[in-house]
Amino acid sequence: MKTIYFVRHGLTENNENNLFQTYTTKLSDKGVKQAGDLAEYFNQIPIEIIISSDMTRAVETAKIVATKININIIETPLLREMSRPSTVRDKSRDDPAIKVIIEE
């Protein structure tokens, strides 16, 4: 029997500032540390494959883990998060105008 682990990417500056993500949003310093901690955790577990979204923050997280456990990554757009309108990317989740767009 195979065990599958689902892992969310590390923290980004957009997460920290309550902004919607873009496809190229990078990990923050804290997110890099989180990915390093995750790599330490997975270093103790036999992993056969890493499949990652092709979004920058997901690939950064996967690469940190993959480097630690010496394994390749398969990147795919099939694992991208929900696509939001381009008008909300990098915008505050608290902005009333943005809330209206999301509700629509």
Side-chain angles (χ1 to χ4, degrees):
M1 179 183 283
K2 301 276 182 193
T3 301
I4 299 173
Y5 298 91
F6 289 92
V7 176
R8 188 172 188 271
H9 60 78
L11 199 65
T12 69
E13 288 187 14
N14 281 26
N15 293 136
E16 293 172 350
N17 294 310
N18 200 31
L19 303 176
F20 284 102
Q21 309 281 7
T22 68
Y23 292 110
T24 58
T25 301
K26 295 182 179 184
L27 295 177
S28 65
D29 291 341
K30 186 173 183 178
V32 170
K33 182 189 179 319
Q34 289 172 329
D37 293 343
L38 184 66
E40 288 298 326
Y41 175 79
F42 280 118
N43 195 36
Q44 309 301 315
I45 299 171
I47 302 293
E48 295 178 22
I49 189 169
I50 294 176
I51 304 172
S52 172
S53 159
D54 62 348
M55 299 176 96
T56 302
R57 59 195 171 275
V59 172
E60 286 178 318
T61 302
K63 283 183 179 179
I64 291 168
V65 174
T67 299
K68 178 71 175 182
I69 64 175
N70 196 27
I71 195 170
N72 292 323
I73 304 168
I74 296 172
E75 296 175 31
T76 178
L78 296 174
L79 294 176
R80 286 182 180 174
E81 65 185 30
M82 179 176 76
S83 184
R84 299 194 191 281
S86 59
T87 54
V88 306
R89 295 186 193 134
D90 271 336
K91 303 289 191 267
S92 173
R93 292 175 176 273
D94 297 324
D95 182 323
I98 298 302
K99 286 182 177 183
V100 168
I101 293 169
I102 294 299
E103 287 174 15
E104 290 175 358

